[in-house]
Amino acid sequence: MAGAGYAHIDEAVRKEWRADLDPKIQVVRELARTYGAHLLAADGTFAELTAASGPEHWAADGVHPTPAGHAALAEAWLRLVA
């Protein structure tokens, strides 16, 4: 969705982001396993949310959560640790 303060992320940029981000996600998952830490898989959570309603509602610029995105993370964290 272009305009209204939303940044459209094209496929080439998204692929660059994923090439950088995916190895980092794997390291964090391994650290959580190694140390028995709770892990909120925010990337997967946002993927599910955006598939249902579009990404702009959750992270207008594709990176930083909106208030709705922060609320979704907080709810997911509370479910994880409850």
Side-chain angles (χ1 to χ4, degrees):
M1 175 177 184
Y6 297 119
H8 174 73
I9 309 304
D10 70 27
E11 189 62 20
V13 171
R14 190 192 72 74
K15 285 182 179 180
E16 285 180 38
W17 285 1
R18 296 310 312 189
D20 180 61
L21 183 60
D22 288 346
K24 293 172 182 172
I25 290 172
Q26 294 309 315
V27 169
V28 170
R29 288 178 179 166
E30 181 60 31
L31 287 168
R33 278 191 297 272
T34 298
Y35 294 102
H38 289 292
L39 175 66
L40 174 58
D43 185 59
T45 299
F46 277 110
E48 290 175 16
L49 292 169
T50 60
S53 63
E56 294 83 9
H57 181 72
W58 308 106
D61 64 359
V63 177
H64 302 95
T66 62
H70 283 289
L73 287 173
E75 290 172 15
W77 177 255
L78 291 173
R79 283 192 307 272
L80 179 67
V81 298

